[in-house]
Amino acid sequence: MRLPLSLSSNHLFFLSPKFKPPFSITSSILPKMADSGNSSLIWFRKGLRIHDNPALEHAANGSDFVYPVFVIDPHYMEPDPDAFSPGSSRAGVNRIKFLLESLVDLDCNLKKIGSRLLVFKGEPGDVLTHCLKQWNIKKLCFEYDTDPYYQDLSARVEKYASQEGIEVFSPVSHTLFDPRAVIAKNGGKPPLTYQSFLKVAGQPTWASSPVSTGPSSIPPPGDIGDLQISNVPTMEELGYLDVGQHEFSPFKGGEFEALKRLKQSLDDKAWVAKFEKPKGNPSSFLKPATTVLSPYLKFGCISSRYFYQCIQEVYKSVKQHTSPPVSLLGQIPWNEDSELLAAWRDGRTGFINGVGCTILHGIVLHASLPVFIHWEKGRDVFERLLIDSDWSINNGNWLWLSCSSFFYEYHRIYSPISFGKKHDPNGDFIRHFLPVLKDMPKQYIYEPWTAPKSLQVKAKCIIGKDYPSPVVSHDSASKECKRKLAEAYALNRQSNGSVSEDDLGKLRRKLEEDQQTQKPAAKKQKQKLITD
């Protein structure tokens, strides 16, 4: 096992018998030389690291020139003035900033081993095919990606490469297992519970083999021809000119930060051994109750395989430790009310929730207000706002938490009021992220609408003016949600899982009629909440 020995701002040192210090280059100017030898292209998308990067190592092996490429995709990174928060049409500014920081770090680390990152802007498929043609590439390497968007891109580029006789190497190194292999072992269907997944997947085949620390040097890029490359752009250069610093997350992207955070987490072996979700204070933000490695794993700044092996090393050194799914290793006809969705998305429900946070403790999702909306709509909000948003994990978590799949205990709905009082009675989390409530007495911090008007005036927070009134009664809304889910589950049992569109249509009409009947009572109860 090769673990980090020390970390500095300039180097990443690993404990390895064959370790050789990386050499550095003093200039980022690319050589202008004829590409008479073998040229390889390493296409970075995720996997933004040097260690345990099979695609990078394969590109360097036997090549005279290696072209490390990243494409700034306007689809993900160009500002969208019509979006509900600063960012592109698909990503908020926090994730974009984290990605740029990770690219700067990757470029720095590539320079230490004799190369640099070649940054382009445009539609990735078009850019890649042009690069393959212009540079006479013999070998194309990129990490396998489960995201449907990148799957389509991969297929297009791979098809062109195959037609041109270019070798394509696309290893699975972002995830611990090859999802295609797991599905194949399960008879062509994905496992629908975590325990069945563990049983099918088994132990990783590479679990006892040390992961690579990465090459100590790679061949430089060759002649770039007439292609225009650039350095990693800044947020301002991408067009994000009016975004205040308060919009940004305190977590900085990059391989260096990832390895440093991993080392800090694993140094406390007792904490690793006892880690158990959902235990741990989800309201802790100055010292989070988790490793906060999820965004680094999402962008591949740290290898999931390296992370796994490091935890295994800790487990070997302690007497007892927790097990999946709670350990550190494990982890319907809906309401279509667009106004309610927007209120939840923008933090205007009157309740305290975690939607505005950039990285969420998993249990905070339970105590938020997604129970009232279509799971796909909630998923889309998280896809945009979370730094660590991953297509597979985001969809899986929302299917789980909405009890649409994998999980059936739909009655388990946490109250954002009692949940907060239990874990953070003083409301420190709220006071930090919602300064408008910072002077509210703690007995009213989770239900500020119940505070006497005189206290609201004293706290400089008038409910309905400075902070929203509740959009629903949580008690009645959660009961209504559970009732709908119960009827949907009953229909599913009655039809042995083969629910027809006609069945769903009848259920939807029935629930809509019930909702219309109950609206006056719900409105009256909400008004009572505000005036009490």
Side-chain angles (χ1 to χ4, degrees):
M1 185 64 205
R2 292 179 252 187
L3 297 171
L5 179 60
S6 64
L7 295 161
S8 72
S9 60
N10 298 316
H11 297 89
L12 299 174
F13 291 114
F14 291 83
L15 183 60
S16 171
K18 298 181 180 179
F19 173 76
K20 296 179 180 178
F23 65 84
S24 61
I25 56 177
T26 57
S27 173
S28 62
I29 300 175
L30 295 172
K32 295 288 183 179
M33 56 184 75
D35 288 353
S36 58
N38 291 324
S39 296
S40 298
L41 189 152
I42 166 70
W43 179 19
F44 284 101
R45 302 180 306 186
K46 294 175 185 172
L48 306 181
R49 63 180 184 273
I50 303 299
H51 76 278
D52 188 31
N53 194 326
L56 176 62
E57 294 197 26
H58 191 77
N61 187 27
S63 299
D64 299 303
F65 305 101
V66 175
Y67 295 84
V69 170
F70 184 88
V71 183
I72 300 292
D73 186 351
H75 178 66
Y76 273 95
M77 303 185 75
E78 195 170 84
D80 181 1
D82 297 323
F84 65 82
S85 68
S88 71
S89 61
R90 298 296 299 273
V93 290
N94 272 297
R95 188 151 87 248
I96 294 172
K97 182 171 182 286
F98 191 95
L99 171 57
L100 294 181
E101 291 167 345
S102 300
L103 293 174
V104 169
D105 185 73
L106 175 63
D107 184 39
C108 178
N109 289 334
L110 284 170
K111 287 175 180 176
K112 292 171 187 173
I113 56 175
S115 186
R116 66 159 294 185
L117 188 62
L118 310 179
V119 180
F120 297 89
K121 184 178 181 181
E123 198 286 318
D126 293 341
V127 172
L128 261 292
T129 52
H130 190 66
C131 288
L132 293 173
K133 186 186 303 182
Q134 183 86 3
W135 296 333
N136 193 26
I137 297 297
K138 305 298 185 198
K139 188 163 52 176
L140 169 65
C141 305
F142 57 90
E143 184 178 66
Y144 176 79
D145 198 317
T146 57
D147 188 314
Y149 177 75
Y150 286 112
Q151 290 260 305
D152 291 342
L153 273 178
S154 300
R156 284 174 48 205
V157 175
E158 193 166 348
K159 181 179 179 181
Y160 171 81
S162 298
Q163 291 171 346
E164 297 299 315
I166 300 171
E167 176 194 344
V168 176
F169 180 69
S170 182
V172 175
S173 55
H174 185 66
T175 53
L176 297 182
F177 300 92
D178 183 343
R180 298 165 297 185
V182 173
I183 291 173
K185 286 175 66 177
N186 199 48
K189 297 180 180 180
L192 295 183
T193 67
Y194 189 74
Q195 293 303 328
S196 62
F197 166 78
L198 291 177
K199 184 177 179 180
V200 172
Q203 286 294 314
T205 55
W206 45 263
S208 59
S209 304
V211 298
S212 170
T213 60
S216 58
S217 66
I218 63 172
D223 189 352
I224 62 168
D226 62 359
L227 293 176
Q228 297 297 311
I229 65 168
S230 69
N231 294 318
V232 178
T234 63
M235 291 292 287
E236 291 74 19
E237 288 169 342
L238 283 179
Y240 297 98
L241 303 176
D242 302 320
V243 180
Q245 287 299 313
H246 67 279
E247 297 279 356
F248 294 131
S249 158
F251 305 108
K252 184 178 180 181
E255 183 178 17
F256 172 78
E257 290 291 331
L259 291 172
K260 181 175 73 172
R261 183 169 288 278
L262 175 65
K263 184 178 185 301
Q264 290 171 345
S265 297
L266 299 189
D267 277 349
D268 189 347
K269 295 183 180 180
W271 177 82
V272 174
K274 295 176 182 177
F275 183 91
E276 182 178 357
K277 20 172 241 188
K279 295 179 180 178
N281 186 355
S283 65
S284 177
F285 53 91
L286 294 178
K287 187 179 180 182
T290 66
T291 63
V292 195
L293 281 171
S294 56
Y296 302 96
L297 288 164
K298 180 265 189 306
F299 284 108
C301 300
I302 192 168
S303 158
S304 59
R305 305 190 299 191
Y306 181 54
F307 182 34
Y308 176 91
Q309 289 191 343
C310 286
I311 295 173
Q312 294 294 344
E313 288 292 311
V314 173
Y315 284 171
K316 291 176 184 177
S317 67
V318 296
K319 291 182 178 180
Q320 288 183 315
H321 59 80
T322 52
S323 300
V326 299
S327 66
L328 198 55
L329 286 178
Q331 242 299 320
I332 308 211
W334 299 99
N335 191 333
E336 297 290 346
D337 190 330
S338 58
E339 292 184 8
L340 184 60
L341 171 67
W344 171 75
R345 179 195 69 197
D346 300 335
R348 295 183 286 103
T349 63
F351 293 90
I352 309 305
N353 61 58
V355 177
C357 302
T358 54
I359 300 174
L360 291 179
H361 188 291
I363 200 65
V364 174
L365 296 178
H366 285 281
S368 188
L369 291 173
V371 293
F372 314 128
I373 59 176
H374 195 303
W375 74 267
E376 291 180 355
K377 301 292 180 65
R379 171 204 63 187
D380 292 344
V381 171
F382 275 48
E383 168 65 24
R384 176 181 174 76
L385 293 182
L386 295 182
I387 296 177
D388 56 354
S389 178
D390 173 273
W391 187 86
S392 298
I393 295 174
N394 193 29
N395 276 273
N397 276 342
W398 275 90
L399 281 167
W400 175 289
L401 292 173
S402 66
C403 294
S404 301
S405 187
F406 311 127
F407 185 68
Y408 55 86
E409 295 187 18
Y410 56 85
H411 54 275
R412 189 180 293 179
I413 298 175
Y414 291 78
S415 165
I417 299 169
S418 59
F419 177 86
K421 288 180 177 179
K422 175 182 177 182
H423 290 280
D424 182 17
N426 191 51
D428 294 335
F429 184 93
I430 297 169
R431 298 178 199 281
H432 180 85
F433 290 102
L434 287 173
V436 67
L437 290 168
K438 67 181 176 65
D439 295 323
M440 188 66 66
K442 70 176 184 179
Q443 60 266 42
Y444 299 110
I445 193 72
Y446 290 100
E447 299 172 278
W449 61 90
T450 65
K453 194 63 174 285
S454 58
L455 281 181
Q456 293 182 30
V457 172
K458 187 176 180 181
K460 303 182 183 66
C461 182
I462 307 299
I463 303 305
K465 176 186 174 185
D466 303 307
Y467 189 75
S469 301
V471 294
V472 295
S473 161
H474 189 272
D475 286 344
S476 60
S478 60
K479 288 176 183 176
E480 174 66 8
C481 182
K482 283 186 277 191
R483 185 185 69 82
K484 289 181 178 180
L485 282 164
E487 295 202 27
Y489 268 73
L491 176 61
N492 187 62
R493 282 195 302 271
Q494 180 183 334
S495 58
N496 292 320
S498 301
V499 182
S500 68
E501 285 297 322
D502 185 52
D503 291 332
L504 281 176
K506 290 178 181 178
L507 177 59
R508 185 174 288 108
R509 286 191 293 273
K510 178 183 182 302
L511 293 176
E512 286 174 354
E513 289 171 3
D514 292 347
Q515 188 171 339
Q516 290 300 322
T517 303
Q518 295 168 4
K519 267 187 176 180
K523 185 176 181 181
K524 186 176 180 181
Q525 188 168 5
K526 178 184 172 184
Q527 189 61 39
K528 185 176 184 295
L529 263 176
I530 298 170
T531 55
D532 278 355

